[in-house]
Amino acid sequence: MNNWFKMIYLPLFLLFSLGKAQEKLTIGEKQNLFSKVLNENREIWIHLPKTYNDSTINPAKYPVIYLLDGEINFEYYTGLTDFIARTPYADIPECIVVGIKNTERTRDLTPTKSEKKSPVNPTLTLFTDSGGGEIFLKFMQEELKPFINKNYRTQDYSVLVGHSFGGLFAINTFLLHPDYFNAYVANDPSLWWDNKVTISRTKEYLGRNKKFPAKKSLYVSQADNEEQQKNWNSDMTQAIEEFKTIIEKNGSLNYKHSFFEGETHGTVSYPGNYEALKFIFKGFRTDIKQLAKNPKLLEENYKNFSEKMGADFEPSEAYLNVVIKFMKGNGFKDSETYFMKLKDQYYPKK
């Protein structure tokens, strides 16, 4: 090996060796939980906020988002939540995301037993294993949520997110067990299911209760399914529109419906989930420039936000550090002192 080759080879060798030693980027961890309710093992994917293991701040608690169809949605959804929660532009608090991987999707996410002939092959019967939604919800409520609350630092605020059958599951949970979650997201929900049984349940709910529960949020996205010119998608569109009419006539629910032109059933979840998060946590964002003029505004904002959400929210230590740095860097001495005292009040030094 000549000297010239050695001069090239050694730096390259060192470069690749150093590359192999670099820390990996990870977006979550996998947990295996055996369910006695379902009598099977369930794989759960968990994403922790960026500040969760930050040793420079006090350990904090975080809202939890339960994400159905985890194997499809987890990777993009976790990046989405981190992006929207970044300081100083946060539209939502940092959240723990719990992605639930499927085993028998139709069984777990449908509310009733209802078979259907395939729209493309009438000789094929679909959904023969349907109707296990209540059992799956029991698993979530009695096994999964206690497991998450025991092993992670969780705040008493949770969101259920689903798409298609998952959206159907989310709305049925809202109607039958509204206290299980604080907010519900249904992306292009399959409300056509079983002769629109969920539409009937919605009418029955209002007949019994007159109005929906306070402090709850429901977001529904709708894809541009008519573009695909399929009868099944037409049934889905009609059912979602019917549900929308019923909800909007009632007017008591913190509800939003969004139609996404050009988005198909398979793509609508991405823009729907972004808009849903901003809708659910509307009022969370504070203007750091306004805080320089009126420091007390931060506490007022969080008080109003907590009242709206029906849960206690406080400014995080990480955000207060950003606010203090901004005040110091821009020469707002009085505001800097105010927020330093506020930080000591919320997060006393040990």
Side-chain angles (χ1 to χ4, degrees):
M1 184 180 296
N2 60 42
N3 289 336
W4 180 84
F5 184 80
K6 288 180 181 178
M7 292 174 62
I8 298 297
Y9 175 79
L10 289 176
L12 286 175
F13 175 79
L14 289 172
L15 177 63
F16 286 116
S17 297
L18 288 172
K20 290 180 181 178
Q22 296 300 306
E23 183 180 353
K24 293 182 179 180
L25 293 173
T26 59
I27 63 170
E29 59 191 37
K30 292 182 180 180
Q31 293 276 13
N32 287 299
L33 174 63
F34 180 79
S35 168
K36 293 181 180 178
V37 172
L38 299 171
N39 192 32
E40 66 180 10
N41 188 67
R42 298 305 297 245
E43 187 174 296
I44 310 300
W45 299 356
I46 299 161
H47 172 77
L48 300 176
K50 290 184 178 297
T51 60
Y52 191 92
N53 293 311
D54 188 342
S55 60
T56 66
I57 59 177
N58 289 283
K61 294 183 177 182
Y62 302 86
V64 184
I65 299 173
Y66 290 89
L67 181 67
L68 301 173
D69 295 322
E71 67 272 26
I72 298 173
N73 299 306
F74 188 79
E75 291 174 331
Y76 83 81
Y77 194 93
T78 53
L80 191 64
T81 56
D82 284 350
F83 179 78
I84 308 175
R86 75 198 192 286
T87 57
Y89 309 104
D91 277 315
I92 67 170
E94 288 186 294
C95 297
I96 296 171
V97 178
V98 179
I100 308 170
K101 189 176 180 182
N102 289 311
T103 54
E104 295 184 49
R105 185 175 187 269
T106 299
R107 177 200 68 185
D108 290 343
L109 300 182
T110 52
T112 56
K113 180 77 172 179
S114 179
E115 298 177 357
K116 187 179 181 74
K117 295 295 183 181
S118 169
V120 293
N121 182 3
T123 64
L124 180 64
T125 301
L126 304 177
F127 314 135
T128 57
D129 61 343
S130 58
E134 276 295 304
I135 299 174
F136 182 66
L137 182 60
K138 185 178 181 181
F139 152 70
M140 291 186 66
Q141 188 68 14
E142 297 183 5
E143 296 178 325
L144 177 58
K145 290 172 76 173
F147 173 82
I148 296 298
N149 292 334
K150 178 182 178 181
N151 290 282
Y152 300 91
R153 301 193 308 270
T154 62
Q155 182 180 342
D156 189 20
Y157 191 91
S158 61
V159 182
L160 176 61
V161 180
H163 163 249
S164 193
F165 277 175
L168 176 71
F169 178 85
I171 291 177
N172 274 278
T173 302
F174 168 72
L175 292 171
L176 300 179
H177 308 281
D179 292 336
Y180 281 10
F181 299 89
N182 300 88
Y184 298 81
V185 178
N187 290 303
D188 218 29
S190 301
L191 297 177
W192 53 265
W193 177 263
D194 194 6
N195 296 311
K196 300 189 287 190
V197 64
T198 303
I199 303 293
S200 298
R201 288 180 174 181
T202 306
K203 294 176 181 177
E204 291 168 3
Y205 181 97
L206 289 174
R208 292 192 309 268
N209 302 285
K210 305 304 178 186
K211 61 181 181 179
F212 292 107
K215 312 296 184 182
K216 300 292 179 181
S217 298
L218 173 62
Y219 175 89
V220 177
S221 73
Q222 181 180 342
D224 197 358
N225 290 313
E226 292 298 324
E227 273 196 351
Q228 299 177 46
Q229 298 297 315
K230 292 181 180 179
N231 292 331
W232 208 348
N233 283 330
S234 179
D235 291 343
M236 175 175 285
T237 298
Q238 291 172 15
I240 293 174
E241 291 288 348
E242 187 174 349
F243 180 78
K244 173 176 178 282
T245 300
I246 296 170
I247 299 295
E248 291 183 348
K249 278 185 177 179
N250 177 265
S252 63
L253 179 66
N254 186 37
Y255 169 77
K256 184 173 182 178
H257 174 277
S258 297
F259 173 78
F260 289 94
E261 184 177 358
E263 297 292 346
T264 67
H265 182 67
T267 64
V268 72
S269 287
Y270 192 95
N273 282 327
Y274 175 79
E275 191 168 294
L277 286 168
K278 297 187 72 170
F279 165 70
I280 292 168
F281 292 104
K282 185 177 181 180
F284 178 80
R285 183 199 290 183
T286 57
D287 188 335
I288 198 168
K289 295 179 181 178
Q290 293 297 319
L291 297 181
K293 302 175 184 177
N294 182 8
K296 293 182 179 180
L297 187 61
L298 182 66
E299 293 161 279
E300 293 174 8
N301 283 348
Y302 272 86
K303 180 181 178 181
N304 293 335
F305 182 72
S306 296
E307 174 64 24
K308 173 208 164 194
M309 302 295 281
D312 292 329
F313 285 84
E314 296 176 346
S316 70
E317 185 174 4
Y319 182 55
L320 287 173
N321 286 338
V322 171
V323 172
I324 292 168
K325 183 178 180 180
F326 175 84
M327 300 305 164
K328 182 176 182 180
N330 288 278
F332 298 116
K333 296 293 185 183
D334 291 342
S335 295
E336 179 188 353
T337 301
Y338 181 92
F339 286 113
M340 288 180 69
K341 290 180 179 178
L342 187 64
K343 177 185 172 182
D344 290 338
Q345 176 185 324
Y346 279 115
Y347 308 100
K349 296 177 182 178
K350 297 179 182 179

